[in-house]
Amino acid sequence: MNLTVLAIILGIVVIAYLAIFIMQRTTVKRVSAYQTKKEQLASLKVRDELVEGRKLALTGQSLKQYQSLEGSFNDVKNNKFLKIDQQANLVLFEARGINFIKTGHELSRLEAMVDDTESTINTVRSGLTELKKIDEAHREAINDLKKKYDDLRKRLLAENFKFGPANKGLDNFLKQLEGDYDEFTRLTENGDHATASDIYEQLAMETTQMENMMADIPALFEKLDTVYVEQLNELVQGHTDLIAQGYVFPNDTLVEELEAIDAQRQQVLQLLGELKLKEVSEQNGYIDRRIDTLYDMMETEVTARKEVTKNADQLSSDLLRLREQNGQLSMTLDRLGQRFQFNHKELETRRTLLEQINATEEQVNHNDDLLEASEMSFSELRAKQDSQLKRFSEIESQQVEIWEKISGLEKAQHSARQFGGQYQQEIENIKQAVERMNLPGLPGSYLEYFFAVSNELNRLAKSLQAHLIDMDEVQRQLNIVSADIDTLKEKTETLVDQASLTEQLLQYANRYRTSSDRVAAASEQARMFYERDYSFDKAMDVLGPALNSVEPGIYEKLVDSYMRRKTPLL
């Protein structure tokens, strides 16, 4: 037992020793790595870079930036490297003990010191590189800007005619740029690159603005000084020429508008001299639209004149055609009015349309007089002509509509007489067909309907023989007679079928009169319906069930057999 405990204790001691050994070795390796990194940082030729930076002859803010970078490196060289060495020795000392927590803390501190030192050195080197780049860029910018301003000055002098009133403003703007350029050059030569950078940014922006203005102004000035002047003169001359040719402009204020546009043009030239190019572009847009409106007004009248001439020919042609139509319509109405009755105000409508034709003709002549007296513009006359042509089209449609209604009256009369004769013949055919059946008599309801249809035919004949035929009434009667003739045919067919079937059923019932009291009684009753009342349908209703009682289904068989063998009566 004691040996086991002893072995366990010994094992724990061995493990602890190994852990301490491993930890110490690891710590030593990491400390060595940090020391190596520190030596690498110390070997960098930052001091040489600082010496090169001092050759830039920096001043002002740039010098302050350089001094700050130099101070940071001196702190690294004189303090941070030493502290790193001291911290490394401290970590190695602590690693000999067993206070792993303290050792780890000191190792982390060493790592942070090395990282901070590396970051400081990187910042110093990048700062020096940036100062060198700025110095090079500024010195290059001095040459570029000098050349650019020389070119701008030469162009401004050589092409001053292209810039008009903007010349003075551009010259002042360029002088301001050249003054700022001189200050930028002085600061660069003195090494104050930080302050020079602020001026350079402003210079770059304003130089681009100057270049853009010099690119845009010629087109704006040409428009204001040449294009608009030519257009205004063209409008003045065009207006004068058109007036001389007899053109009239509604509410003619063109001269006043041209003067207002020219005044606006002068104001925009002042804005151009003040280099307010955005406002100039906006005002030019307004002027463009005002000038386009005047051109459109003239173009409208020129186009209208061509259309007025074309419409005048059309109106003349339409008037002649409409009068001829109305005259033919009048004669046709007079002729047909001796035989037919007009129910749709054809006569009144024809007279009204003639009055409208006359009134429109007066309007056409009056408008022509106004145009000749220069009291109406071509565009106003065109609008009136369009309205008149539309009205002529409506009148023609109404006259054609009347013509179509009355031109078919005679044909409709002839057709109605043919149908009337046809329906009369059909009545005679029905009457003869029923007479051939030799029926004991006809039901009162059938006779009543037959005579009603006959009376309708008589009324139709009278309507067709009237002094003034009302074709609307004739057509209405034709429709009624046509439908009633069809119904009469159906009634006749049904009546004849019922009478014939009743006769067959009575003959078949004779087989059972002696053997079936029900059949005998039904036969007597059916015969009375057939011979006395002429109610053939009731006779069938009595006989059918009686026969089915002695011979099931015989009634349906007899009816079916008859319907398959029968021939149409008419």
Side-chain angles (χ1 to χ4, degrees):
M1 184 67 179
N2 291 333
L3 291 174
T4 302
V5 174
L6 184 60
I8 292 172
I9 293 173
L10 183 60
I12 293 173
V13 171
V14 171
I15 292 172
Y17 176 77
L18 289 174
I20 293 171
F21 179 76
I22 293 171
M23 180 65 69
Q24 288 175 342
R25 289 294 299 274
T26 302
T27 302
V28 170
K29 286 182 179 181
R30 293 183 65 184
V31 170
S32 178
Y34 290 136
Q35 287 178 321
T36 300
K37 189 171 186 180
K38 174 257 180 184
E39 293 300 327
Q40 291 174 346
L41 293 173
S43 66
L44 296 174
K45 297 181 180 181
V46 180
R47 176 61 62 186
D48 293 343
E49 294 177 10
L50 284 167
V51 172
E52 289 295 322
R54 185 171 291 278
K55 292 179 181 179
L56 298 175
L58 303 174
T59 62
Q61 189 63 33
S62 297
L63 179 60
K64 290 181 182 179
Q65 291 179 4
Y66 173 84
Q67 290 172 343
S68 175
L69 295 173
E70 186 178 40
S72 296
F73 179 74
N74 288 337
D75 182 56
V76 170
K77 191 74 174 177
N78 300 327
N79 297 313
K80 289 187 177 181
F81 283 156
L82 179 61
K83 289 181 180 180
I84 289 173
D85 291 337
Q86 292 173 348
Q87 184 65 23
N89 292 330
L90 178 62
V91 174
L92 291 175
F93 177 78
E94 293 293 340
R96 296 173 184 175
I98 59 174
N99 192 342
F100 300 144
I101 295 176
K102 185 175 182 182
T103 300
H105 175 72
E106 296 298 340
L107 183 63
S108 297
R109 186 179 177 190
L110 174 62
E111 180 182 12
M113 292 171 68
V114 173
D115 290 344
D116 177 64
T117 300
E118 182 181 26
S119 175
T120 301
I121 290 175
N122 288 339
T123 300
V124 171
R125 298 186 75 192
S126 63
L128 290 171
T129 300
E130 185 64 26
L131 282 173
K132 185 178 180 181
K133 287 182 179 179
I134 292 174
D135 180 74
E136 293 173 352
H138 285 181
R139 294 186 185 281
E140 183 178 353
I142 289 174
N143 296 327
D144 291 343
L145 289 173
K146 180 70 168 60
K147 183 177 183 304
K148 187 171 290 187
Y149 293 150
D150 287 344
D151 291 342
L152 291 175
R153 174 65 64 186
K154 290 177 182 177
R155 184 183 169 198
L156 195 58
L157 291 173
E159 301 179 3
N160 61 343
F161 62 92
K162 293 184 178 181
F163 305 107
N167 267 305
K168 184 177 181 180
L170 289 172
D171 183 67
N172 292 335
F173 198 92
L174 184 56
K175 286 180 179 178
Q176 177 188 335
L177 289 177
E178 290 170 338
D180 292 341
Y181 166 78
D182 291 341
E183 178 65 11
F184 169 69
T185 302
R186 185 185 66 76
L187 291 171
T188 299
E189 294 296 338
N190 291 339
D192 191 357
H193 295 296
T195 306
S197 291
D198 295 336
I199 295 179
Y200 179 67
E201 290 179 3
Q202 183 70 19
L203 266 177
M205 181 182 69
E206 292 179 349
T207 300
T208 300
Q209 183 181 357
M210 176 78 179
E211 291 173 332
N212 291 338
M213 286 192 297
M214 291 184 69
D216 295 339
I217 287 174
L220 295 172
F221 175 62
E222 182 183 9
K223 205 166 194 181
L224 288 164
D225 189 60
T226 304
V227 176
Y228 289 154
V229 173
E230 291 176 353
Q231 289 178 335
L232 293 175
N233 290 335
E234 185 179 41
L235 286 168
V236 170
Q237 187 61 47
H239 180 258
T240 302
D241 292 343
L242 292 176
I243 292 294
Q245 295 172 27
Y247 284 87
V248 175
F249 295 94
N251 303 317
D252 190 1
T253 58
L254 185 136
V255 175
E256 292 82 355
E257 176 65 5
L258 291 175
E259 292 175 352
I261 292 174
D262 190 58
Q264 184 180 7
R265 183 184 68 85
Q266 296 292 342
Q267 293 173 358
V268 179
L269 281 170
Q270 293 178 9
L271 293 175
L272 186 66
E274 297 169 7
L275 303 183
K276 297 178 180 180
L277 303 193
K278 182 178 180 182
E279 294 182 39
V280 170
S281 295
E282 291 176 353
Q283 291 298 319
N284 278 1
Y286 298 147
I287 293 175
D288 285 335
R289 289 191 286 275
R290 294 177 74 175
I291 290 177
D292 288 343
T293 298
L294 296 179
Y295 274 116
D296 290 343
M297 181 185 70
M298 291 188 180
E299 182 63 26
T300 296
E301 293 304 321
V302 172
T303 302
R305 184 171 192 170
K306 298 176 183 178
E307 295 176 354
V308 161
T309 302
K310 179 182 176 181
N311 288 344
D313 295 338
Q314 184 67 44
L315 285 168
S316 178
S317 174
D318 287 355
L319 272 170
L320 179 61
R321 185 177 66 258
L322 290 175
R323 285 194 177 281
E324 290 178 353
Q325 287 180 349
N326 196 276
Q328 293 175 359
L329 196 58
S330 176
M331 289 187 295
T332 303
L333 285 169
D334 290 341
R335 180 176 61 82
L336 293 177
Q338 299 175 16
R339 297 163 53 196
F340 296 97
Q341 180 176 328
F342 299 124
N343 299 321
H344 303 285
K345 297 184 178 180
E346 288 87 349
L347 296 171
E348 295 87 339
T349 302
R350 199 277 310 171
R351 285 193 295 270
T352 300
L353 293 176
L354 180 58
E355 293 172 359
Q356 293 177 2
I357 292 172
N358 294 333
T360 306
E361 183 178 19
E362 290 179 3
Q363 293 175 2
V364 170
N365 294 332
H366 178 65
N367 292 337
D368 290 342
D369 293 340
L370 291 177
L371 182 66
E372 187 175 352
S374 298
E375 296 180 13
M376 177 182 290
S377 68
F378 287 108
S379 60
E380 291 173 327
L381 178 56
R382 179 183 58 184
K384 293 182 180 297
Q385 286 178 333
D386 289 341
S387 176
Q388 291 161 354
L389 287 170
K390 181 181 178 182
R391 183 62 197 132
F392 279 170
S393 177
E394 293 170 350
I395 291 173
E396 183 169 21
S397 296
Q398 289 179 274
Q399 291 189 156
V400 169
E401 183 180 359
I402 296 174
W403 176 264
E404 289 175 348
K405 286 181 180 179
I406 64 173
S407 61
L409 288 176
E410 292 176 320
K411 184 178 179 180
Q413 177 195 21
H414 178 70
S415 177
R417 285 177 175 170
Q418 286 184 325
F419 277 114
Q422 178 182 330
Y423 294 149
Q424 187 62 48
Q425 184 60 48
E426 289 183 5
I427 284 286
E428 293 296 328
N429 291 342
I430 291 172
K431 181 179 178 182
Q432 293 173 7
V434 172
E435 289 176 348
R436 286 196 300 270
M437 294 300 297
N438 293 319
L439 298 177
L442 296 172
S445 59
Y446 176 82
L447 290 173
E448 182 179 351
Y449 195 83
F450 180 88
F451 291 126
V453 175
S454 297
N455 291 335
E456 289 171 0
L457 272 172
N458 292 332
R459 284 195 294 273
L460 174 61
K462 290 180 180 180
S463 296
L464 286 169
Q465 295 169 1
H467 174 66
L468 290 178
I469 301 173
D470 185 349
M471 285 307 300
D472 288 344
E473 178 62 21
V474 167
Q475 187 59 51
R476 187 186 70 81
Q477 291 176 354
L478 273 175
N479 293 338
I480 293 174
V481 170
S482 176
D484 288 348
I485 285 289
D486 290 339
T487 302
L488 181 60
K489 289 178 181 179
E490 293 175 2
K491 288 180 176 292
T492 303
E493 289 284 350
T494 300
L495 180 70
V496 170
D497 289 341
Q498 291 173 345
S500 300
L501 277 169
T502 300
E503 291 177 356
Q504 290 186 22
L505 291 173
L506 285 172
Q507 291 175 4
Y508 198 86
N510 289 334
R511 301 181 184 184
Y512 298 101
R513 288 177 63 88
T514 58
S515 60
S516 172
D517 294 339
R518 180 176 178 181
V519 172
S523 296
E524 289 299 326
Q525 186 177 9
R527 193 173 296 281
M528 290 179 60
F529 284 139
Y530 178 80
E531 296 176 352
R532 187 187 67 185
D533 299 336
Y534 319 127
S535 298
F536 310 125
D537 54 339
K538 290 183 179 180
M540 290 176 64
D541 291 341
V542 170
L543 281 172
L547 289 173
N548 280 339
S549 67
V550 296
E551 189 176 342
I554 188 59
Y555 172 73
E556 289 75 11
K557 290 180 180 180
L558 291 172
V559 171
D560 182 63
S561 176
Y562 170 81
M563 298 303 292
R564 282 189 285 105
R565 289 184 292 104
K566 66 167 284 189
T567 56
L569 179 67
L570 302 173

